[in-house]
Amino acid sequence: MTTADVEEALERAAALAGPARLDVNAIVRTGRRRRTRRRAAAAAGCALALAVPAAAVMDALRHRPDALVAGPADRPTADAPTLGAFRDAVAQVFPEMEVLDSRQFDPDPMLDGNESIYSGHERVGGLEATGSERDGLTLGVNWQVLNPHLTDSEAERVVRENTVVDPQRVPAPAPAEDVAFVDGDGLKTRVLRVDSSFVAVAWADDGTVVVARLTGEPASAPAPGDADRLIEFAHALADVPYERDSSSQDWAEQLAARADRMPVVADERRRTNAETGGTRTVACVTVEQAIRDASRDWTRDNGLDGRPVDGTAALRVDYLFPSADGSGRLDRSSVIFDWGTGHRVDAVSQLSVAGGPSVDPSVVERGRTTCPPAPNR
Amino acid sequence: MREEPFVAFARAESDGLVRLARLLTGSQHAAEDLVQETLVRVFVHWGKVERADSPRAYARRMMTNVFLRQRERARPRTESLDDAVAPAVEGGFAGVDARDQAARALVRLPVRQRTAVVLRHYEHMTESETARAMGCSAGTVKSLTSRGLAALRELLADSQDERSSR
């Protein structure tokens, strides 16, 4: 039997197919719902990508309030947000902070600012949130945030000559902080910080609500029942009236007040404080890797398979979306990303344990993660 | 997003996609489900699909990907050939029988071999196009296709022998 015979047989077999009985209008309706969910999830990720660097820097600044330096990532993309956009994002948290462009210290744009200034990642708590433009939505910031909280002589010189933050002006931590905001294209997103957790809530015009919670350490990876808590939390937050003209502080205060009245959140805060001895900590490199890859995943058909990353955190995105039956009820679904492996997992029990070069497992086992050095790229 | 171009694309391509899906899945119902899921994804990513060199090829790659992923999640799974008879009979019962034998032989191939054979010898994709659609190397495609063709030849020859001995 020749190849031509086989091909003829395939044609014959294909002829068994009847005409497509597809409702294209139903496909469009389903596609619209799914697209909204993806965009809302991406918006939540974007908000986290904006929020976490700023918040991590805020943490580090409390330990050593020296300077904030932003520079281009080592693999910048053509559609990356500008430094100006990054400044705007940081300004939401630190309105009086000046963001310096690391390229002023080293004009070679091909060099990673971190390496060129400090000659070694191990002395720098670094953080980078990377994203790109997809379907009209910016998924992150492609600027590197460096905090020289471990110093050598050159870092000290840079810090001395470029101190941009008065320690007295660093805002005191609030019980819950509204650390970032994204608004546009039919989506409103807020990020709330509760101790070492970050919660991003995105609302779409069609009623879809997405809650993404970012955890910085395996000890606080999503646990059974967390989805319900987050969803409850999201409902509570969603009840807070949002007015475009209201100040960020007003909104944050409402959220904080609302969060304080939520026993599950309060319990979690107490638990986190107990575990960390009251110290607010962020595993910033882990978070950065996680956001970048999770954001990419939302823009890809093929997920994260085959692209392992270092890290220890987990992200679960809980979706709430209008039920297809038109009842107005919200249905739920969730996705968990294991950032230790970069893969999507079906259950929390499948999350990998702390590992990789960026985090000392013994530190993580004690339920506490301090800012690790940035990974070598 | 303007939806009219997607709707036109879906209407124009759905029959061809169902035929391909029918070969991959071995069932009309599964084929329609697969095409529906594929078209939803095409809708979600329409901007990217529309900008592709060949939206038609892009959609087929997406469908292959969806199919392989669904199979990975769902295995082991039995194949249903309950509806493996054409709704319209062309060429009399002998024609139906021959088509049915080909479909039955195809569905007995392992999933990845079947996919490689169908993409290479029904869709006439190149090795590299098939590799891209299946998410593997061109060498793997070569190997899968070779083994799949050999198995398919054997199965078809057996069924021809059976028919001629009746």
Side-chain angles (χ1 to χ4, degrees):
Chain A
M1 182 175 279
T2 65
T3 301
D5 292 333
V6 172
E7 291 182 350
E8 192 184 327
L10 290 174
E11 289 287 349
R12 284 201 305 270
L16 281 169
R21 293 168 295 185
L22 299 172
D23 182 345
V24 175
N25 292 328
I27 288 170
V28 168
R29 284 196 300 275
T30 305
R32 280 187 198 133
R33 279 200 300 274
R34 199 177 295 180
R35 192 178 54 191
T36 300
R37 257 178 277 164
R38 287 172 61 91
R39 287 177 55 244
C46 174
L48 285 172
L50 288 168
V52 174
V57 168
M58 188 193 298
D59 263 356
L61 286 173
R62 287 189 185 110
H63 296 295
R64 189 189 170 96
D66 290 322
L68 171 64
V69 180
D74 49 359
R75 282 167 295 179
T77 56
D79 53 4
T82 62
L83 179 60
F86 180 77
R87 281 196 175 109
D88 292 345
V90 173
Q92 292 187 44
V93 183
F94 300 111
E96 295 166 340
M97 178 180 283
E98 180 184 358
V99 178
L100 303 178
D101 185 341
S102 69
R103 288 172 298 185
Q104 68 184 280
F105 308 116
D106 188 325
D108 183 352
M110 298 306 291
L111 282 177
D112 178 87
N114 187 350
E115 291 170 350
S116 59
I117 297 172
Y118 301 113
S119 68
H121 280 110
E122 70 278 4
R123 290 190 294 278
V124 178
L127 185 67
E128 176 191 3
T130 303
S132 55
E133 186 84 6
R134 293 286 186 278
D135 297 329
L137 189 67
T138 301
L139 296 180
V141 287
N142 199 4
W143 287 88
Q144 199 160 54
V145 183
L146 308 176
N147 187 321
H149 66 95
L150 295 175
T151 61
D152 60 12
S153 58
E154 184 166 12
E156 285 195 333
R157 179 184 64 76
V158 173
V159 169
R160 194 168 51 250
E161 293 175 2
N162 299 282
T163 297
V164 290
V165 175
D166 177 347
Q168 301 304 315
R169 293 195 307 227
V170 175
E177 297 167 70
D178 183 20
V179 290
F181 166 65
V182 178
D183 183 11
D185 206 16
L187 289 167
K188 296 178 179 66
T189 308
R190 288 277 177 176
V191 173
L192 187 69
R193 179 171 183 182
V194 182
D195 286 324
S196 60
S197 288
F198 297 86
V199 178
V201 186
W203 294 270
D205 285 347
D206 73 349
T208 296
V209 180
V210 168
V211 186
R213 189 181 79 155
L214 196 61
T215 59
E217 49 195 280
S220 57
D226 268 7
D228 290 337
R229 293 183 192 176
L230 282 177
I231 286 166
E232 187 182 351
F233 190 39
H235 277 303
L237 293 179
D239 286 339
V240 177
Y242 168 73
E243 293 174 18
R244 190 184 179 93
D245 295 333
S246 68
S247 73
S248 175
Q249 185 60 35
D250 290 342
W251 210 82
E253 283 173 1
Q254 289 184 61
L255 290 179
R258 179 78 61 164
D260 279 337
R261 286 199 297 273
M262 300 220 25
V264 290
V265 175
D267 285 343
E268 183 162 87
R269 186 179 310 142
R270 278 197 294 274
R271 182 177 65 76
T272 307
N273 274 335
E275 284 174 357
T276 62
T279 304
R280 298 155 63 88
T281 56
V282 177
C284 47
V285 171
T286 306
V287 166
E288 172 264 311
Q289 291 279 8
I291 292 167
R292 183 171 62 191
D293 286 273
S295 297
R296 275 186 190 162
D297 181 74
W298 288 318
T299 69
R300 291 167 58 116
D301 295 329
N302 298 330
L304 292 165
D305 292 359
R307 296 191 297 111
V309 295
D310 296 331
T312 61
L315 169 68
R316 181 166 60 204
V317 178
D318 293 294
Y319 304 103
L320 297 177
F321 53 95
S323 175
D325 62 15
S327 64
R329 183 170 51 88
L330 291 176
D331 285 338
R332 68 180 66 178
S333 180
S334 65
V335 177
I336 300 172
F337 299 99
D338 179 345
W339 291 329
T341 63
H343 287 251
R344 190 177 289 186
V345 297
D346 296 324
V348 173
S349 59
Q350 295 173 4
L351 290 173
S352 66
V353 183
S358 60
V359 176
D360 175 358
S362 64
V363 174
V364 175
E365 281 168 13
R366 292 201 300 272
R368 178 172 176 171
T369 306
T370 52
C371 282
N376 292 321
R377 294 175 189 282
Chain B
M1 167 188 159
R2 285 178 60 243
E3 293 172 355
E4 296 82 5
F6 166 79
V7 171
F9 175 84
R11 294 209 164 112
E13 292 296 326
S14 55
D15 281 348
L17 286 170
V18 167
R19 280 194 293 276
L20 172 59
R22 181 71 172 75
L23 290 179
L24 294 173
T25 63
S27 147
Q28 178 75 16
H29 296 311
E32 288 176 353
D33 285 348
L34 177 59
V35 172
Q36 184 168 294
E37 174 60 25
T38 302
L39 286 175
V40 168
R41 292 183 188 213
V42 168
F43 178 88
V44 171
H45 302 284
W46 178 246
K48 211 176 342 179
V49 176
E50 199 175 27
R51 288 193 300 271
D53 290 342
S54 167
R56 178 181 180 277
Y58 198 107
R60 278 155 175 74
R61 280 204 302 276
M62 285 176 100
M63 190 162 82
T64 303
N65 191 270
V66 172
F67 170 68
L68 290 175
R69 281 178 161 259
Q70 285 178 346
R71 295 305 302 240
E72 278 169 17
R73 284 195 215 107
R75 68 182 164 194
R77 180 180 167 185
T78 54
E79 298 287 350
S80 168
L81 282 177
D82 292 345
D83 58 345
V85 176
V89 177
E90 288 177 19
F93 290 111
V96 172
D97 193 38
R99 282 179 240 165
D100 190 33
Q101 295 295 344
R104 284 176 186 276
L106 189 62
V107 89
R108 288 176 65 184
L109 296 183
V111 170
R112 292 184 69 80
Q113 284 184 23
R114 189 194 319 161
T115 306
V117 167
V118 168
L119 295 183
R120 290 283 286 119
H121 293 284
Y122 175 73
E123 279 296 322
H124 302 291
M125 288 186 186
T126 64
E127 266 172 12
S128 59
E129 287 168 344
T130 306
R132 198 170 159 209
M134 293 182 67
C136 61
S137 69
T140 303
V141 168
K142 203 169 188 171
S143 162
L144 287 170
T145 310
S146 170
R147 280 184 280 142
L149 276 179
L152 193 57
R153 283 191 180 109
E154 199 170 315
L155 290 165
L156 288 171
D158 286 349
S159 60
Q160 276 180 349
D161 289 346
E162 276 176 30
R163 270 188 291 156
S164 52
S165 64
R166 279 181 209 160

